Each structure stands twice: as structure tokens, then as C-alpha cells.
Amino acid sequence: MQDPAPMEEFARRAAAGDSAALDRLLTEIRPEVVRRCARFLPCREDAEEAAQDVLLQVARHVAGFQGRSRFGTWLYTVVANCCRQKYRELKRRAAEQPAAIAPAHAVDPRTTSVIAGSRVDLLEALDRLEREHPHLVAPLVYRDICQLDYAEAAERAGIPLGTLKSRLHEARKQIRPWLAVS
């Protein structure tokens, strides 16, 4: 999304019920959504599936975009949530299905790419953090993954700035050992 001003206008018009603006918005944001999903999910096909989920969520819930924050901020929240959901779905599916590939031939994404491995580790850590300390997830996602500034992350999380910083510190402390390289 080169110039955010037209996107903001398309988003406002789409939120007001303008279907042509929604179509244009979805067309314009698709490449950026795929790119952002690929930052979370190591497999391109999974990222593209998550991107489709994001676009569907945007189409269904754009009326909920009230313009209090930038559209890009709202969008990144949808991306983060859809990617985390896609990861949980993939993990659940893998656990339910018998292994179709002989274990000797199975590819572990953690060994095929440092980037893919770090993403899988991060998603695992987020999943664990959500189970153990759910109130710490949003500050970590908004600040460290979405890379929002502190004030915007606090606003998006719906908590005071000091609380965000405190929770972010605690979240980082919690996941640090889970991300440590063995």
C-alpha cells in the first residue's frame, strides 16, 4: 500500500456500505495482505490461504472499522488473528491425520530455513502464551509483530500505555526461553 490516503478513503466508504469501494479496497490490499501473512506463516500456500481468510474477514467486518485508528492498523490486527488461527488449524489437522510421509522423508521447517523455523517457533510461543497468559498476547502481537508504536498498540489493545509496557515486558520475559535456540 504505497499511499495510505486512498486506502483510508476506500475503507471509510466501504465501512459506510459502498460496495464499489469495498471491491477496490480488497483489490488494492491483496498484495500487502499476502506479504504480511507470509511474515507469519513459513509456507507460501498457507500464507495465501490465510490472506484469503483476511480478505473475507475484511469484507464481512469492514463496517466495524470506525476510523479511530488507521486502516492499516486495523488490517494488521485482522492479519495477525487470521494467521494465528490458520496456524492452529494446520497444527490441529496435522495432529489428527496419520503421517502420509515416512518419518525419514518428512521435512521439518525448522531445519529447512532459519526464517521459517523462527516463524514456527514464534507461532508456537504465541500459542503457548495464549494458553498460559492470554492477557499478554495482544501487547506482544501489536508491538513486536505488527510493529505498531507504543501508543497505537495500547489503543488497539484497549489498555493504558503503562499497562501495555508492563504486559509487553512480561510477555517478552515469558516467551524468551521458549524461543531460545537449543
Side-chain angles (χ1 to χ4, degrees), residues 6-178:
M7 290 306 112
E8 296 295 326
E9 182 58 29
F10 289 139
R12 276 192 286 280
R13 288 178 28 213
D18 182 338
S19 61
L22 176 60
D23 289 343
R24 180 70 190 271
L25 179 68
L26 294 173
T27 301
E28 294 292 324
I29 65 172
R30 189 182 191 296
E32 178 69 11
V33 167
V34 171
R35 187 183 69 75
R36 287 181 178 191
C37 288
R39 290 179 65 189
F40 281 93
L41 299 164
C43 177
R44 177 84 179 163
E45 291 81 15
D46 296 339
E48 288 176 358
E49 278 186 42
Q52 289 302 316
D53 293 343
V54 169
L55 295 174
L56 183 61
Q57 290 299 315
V58 169
R60 285 183 176 165
H61 301 289
V62 73
F65 173 65
Q66 299 170 347
R68 286 182 284 167
S69 62
R70 293 187 331 255
F71 175 73
T73 302
W74 184 83
L75 178 63
Y76 215 143
T77 302
V78 176
V79 168
N81 290 337
C82 285
C83 287
R84 290 175 53 223
Q85 184 60 39
K86 174 57 71 181
Y87 176 72
R88 283 188 211 106
E89 175 188 317
L90 293 168
K91 192 172 158 185
R92 185 176 54 250
R93 221 183 300 156
E96 292 171 355
Q97 294 178 351
I101 300 172
H105 296 87
V107 177
D108 182 355
R110 296 168 207 240
T111 60
T112 59
S113 162
V114 172
I115 293 170
S118 65
R119 286 186 222 161
V120 170
D121 292 342
L122 178 60
L123 289 167
E124 285 286 340
L126 284 172
D127 199 35
R128 183 172 174 186
L129 186 65
E130 189 163 39
R131 284 191 312 272
E132 295 179 14
H133 307 282
H135 64 288
L136 301 178
V137 174
L140 186 71
V141 167
Y142 292 141
R143 178 68 188 127
D144 289 357
I145 297 173
C146 297
Q147 299 175 334
L148 301 179
D149 62 43
Y150 285 100
E152 198 169 15
E155 178 185 330
R156 197 73 192 132
I159 56 178
L161 182 60
T163 303
L164 175 102
K165 288 180 178 181
S166 173
R167 289 182 182 177
L168 181 59
H169 173 76
E170 183 61 28
R172 288 172 177 163
K173 189 169 85 175
Q174 289 292 323
I175 70 164
R176 191 171 293 124
W178 304 336

